[in-house]
Amino acid sequence: MDLAVETREVTKRFWSWRGICGVLRGGHDGSRLYRETVALDGLNLRVPRGSVYGLLGRNGAGKTTAVQLLMGLLEADTGEVSVLGFDPMKDEVPMKQRVGHVADGQKMYEFYTVEELCRFCATFYPTWNLAWQNELLDRLDLPRDRRLGELSRGTKAQMALVLALAHEPELLLMDESTSGLDAVVRRQFLETLVELSEQAGRTALISSHIIDDLERVCDWVGILHRGRLIVQQPLDELKGSVQQIRATFAGAPPEQVGELAGNLVRSRRRERELLLTVQGFRADMVEQVRRLGATSAEAVPLSLEEIFIAYTGPVRLEERLGAAVADATEESTE
């Protein structure tokens, strides 16, 4: 597989001051003066060329850190990073000339007008396409003679998109960059992304919490959870692999699910109903649930948002209580 982006066992840690109270509680041990946060833990990201790759994760999962590592804005503690065949830390200029980057709340020179900022940025990119720049300005209806400081947050976000696309990058990295756009402009931009991917074979990695948008345009998906990439595969394969089995029982559902335990992502029991979200779904799994005593059972396809929540959502109260009971039983038998 030809990859536009690849990371191998990348780890990134941050250290923060605990504060005077934490220091006093921790004594005089210097190692206790700072708190360690593992933002990325063995990240193995693989983005195929020509794909639109959606990187999903809850707040604090490590998405922004991952994008900043790809842009060379941060250096990994361990591991290797390759972007279009370049090392972002050693080959900064040639890599950035081939990459478009849009960050949430991106800073720009606010004393420039829209047109002046375009002319300024064009000097850094040998491939800047003036005709494409003007087409993007027209598509997004941006006022060429207005200063950036006079524009709304959403209009500035649109301007950042123009600057990221006008030099026709081989790779576009977007970090929550559509969050400031209204629904109409988001749809225009996403359609442009698909058009570029299909016609020019360009690659895009989009980090966003607007999962419906990603489901509409992405053909690959990665789910980042607590610094680790727990899912990475084509979207169609993921939706075929992760499904929910809904079963009804005459009485209370069983606590154990037999052979399905190894495929279980999440389970929920309520009265006489059992909901099992499984990965690696096979048609015979429905029959396995029936053999547990179910009066009826069926497989239900899930949306990308439902799959994301199944992998990363908080554990429900009944699941926590079930785990606590199991732990207590195990301890009592030791």
Side-chain angles (χ1 to χ4, degrees), residues 38-105:
V38 181
L40 295 174
D41 186 8
L43 179 66
N44 291 299
L45 186 66
R46 295 166 60 85
V47 181
R49 284 186 184 268
S51 67
V52 180
Y53 187 111
L55 184 62
L56 306 179
R58 299 180 65 184
N59 291 337
K63 302 187 302 297
T64 295
T65 300
V67 173
Q68 289 179 342
L69 283 169
L70 298 180
M71 279 301 298
L73 302 176
L74 293 173
E75 185 172 8
D77 296 331
T78 62
E80 300 176 10
V81 179
S82 174
V83 177
L84 300 175
F86 296 102
D87 181 328
M89 300 306 298
K90 297 177 181 177
D91 308 307
E92 181 180 12
V93 172
M95 185 211 75
K96 288 185 176 179
Q97 287 179 335
R98 293 166 172 81
V99 175
H101 176 225
V102 187
D104 184 24

Side-chain angles (χ1 to χ4, degrees), residues 84-132:
L84 300 175
F86 296 102
D87 181 328
M89 300 306 298
K90 297 177 181 177
D91 308 307
E92 181 180 12
V93 172
M95 185 211 75
K96 288 185 176 179
Q97 287 179 335
R98 293 166 172 81
V99 175
H101 176 225
V102 187
D104 184 24
Q106 187 159 316
K107 303 297 182 183
M108 292 176 282
Y109 295 121
E110 299 200 340
F111 52 83
Y112 278 133
T113 65
V114 166
E115 190 129 31
E116 288 170 345
L117 185 57
C118 286
R119 285 202 301 268
F120 172 74
C121 291
T123 61
F124 298 99
Y125 297 96
T127 59
W128 192 276
N129 186 330
L130 182 59
W132 177 229

Side-chain angles (χ1 to χ4, degrees), residues 322-334:
V325 170
D327 290 344
T329 302
E330 183 177 342
E331 289 176 3
S332 65
T333 57
E334 290 179 352

Side-chain angles (χ1 to χ4, degrees), residues 9-225:
E9 296 297 327
V10 166
T11 300
K12 182 63 183 177
R13 294 177 172 85
F14 294 98
W15 298 86
S16 58
W17 170 247
R18 285 182 176 271
I20 189 63
C21 293
V23 173
L24 293 175
R25 286 196 300 268
H28 300 290
D29 182 357
S31 65
R32 299 185 180 181
L33 300 181
Y34 296 91
R35 178 182 293 106
E36 180 188 41
T37 300
V38 181
L40 295 174
D41 186 8
L43 179 66
N44 291 299
L45 186 66
R46 295 166 60 85
V47 181
R49 284 186 184 268
S51 67
V52 180
Y53 187 111
L55 184 62
L56 306 179
R58 299 180 65 184
N59 291 337
K63 302 187 302 297
T64 295
T65 300
V67 173
Q68 289 179 342
L69 283 169
L70 298 180
M71 279 301 298
L73 302 176
L74 293 173
E75 185 172 8
D77 296 331
T78 62
E80 300 176 10
V81 179
S82 174
V83 177
L84 300 175
F86 296 102
D87 181 328
M89 300 306 298
K90 297 177 181 177
D91 308 307
E92 181 180 12
V93 172
M95 185 211 75
K96 288 185 176 179
Q97 287 179 335
R98 293 166 172 81
V99 175
H101 176 225
V102 187
D104 184 24
Q106 187 159 316
K107 303 297 182 183
M108 292 176 282
Y109 295 121
E110 299 200 340
F111 52 83
Y112 278 133
T113 65
V114 166
E115 190 129 31
E116 288 170 345
L117 185 57
C118 286
R119 285 202 301 268
F120 172 74
C121 291
T123 61
F124 298 99
Y125 297 96
T127 59
W128 192 276
N129 186 330
L130 182 59
W132 177 229
Q133 165 206 300
N134 290 329
E135 182 180 338
L136 290 168
L137 291 175
D138 291 338
R139 281 193 189 189
L140 299 175
D141 196 24
L142 290 172
R144 288 170 165 78
D145 59 348
R146 293 278 299 277
R147 296 189 183 279
L148 271 293
E150 301 172 355
L151 303 181
S152 67
R153 182 178 183 273
T155 307
K156 288 178 182 177
Q158 295 175 52
M159 183 61 190
L161 297 178
V162 173
L163 299 179
L165 291 172
H167 65 288
E168 299 184 311
E170 296 177 41
L171 170 66
L172 180 64
L173 299 175
M174 300 183 59
D175 183 20
E176 300 286 3
S177 45
T178 59
S179 58
L181 306 179
D182 62 44
V184 174
V185 174
R186 278 208 325 272
R187 176 63 65 87
Q188 288 177 329
F189 174 70
L190 294 171
E191 289 174 351
T192 301
L193 269 185
V194 174
E195 177 185 326
L196 286 172
S197 178
E198 292 178 348
Q199 295 181 359
R202 304 188 190 281
T203 308
L205 184 148
I206 310 172
S207 162
S208 176
H209 66 277
I210 306 175
I211 300 179
D212 287 344
D213 284 350
L214 295 184
E215 187 168 11
R216 188 177 299 117
V217 301
C218 291
D219 45 30
W220 273 76
V221 171
I223 297 179
L224 195 59
H225 187 53

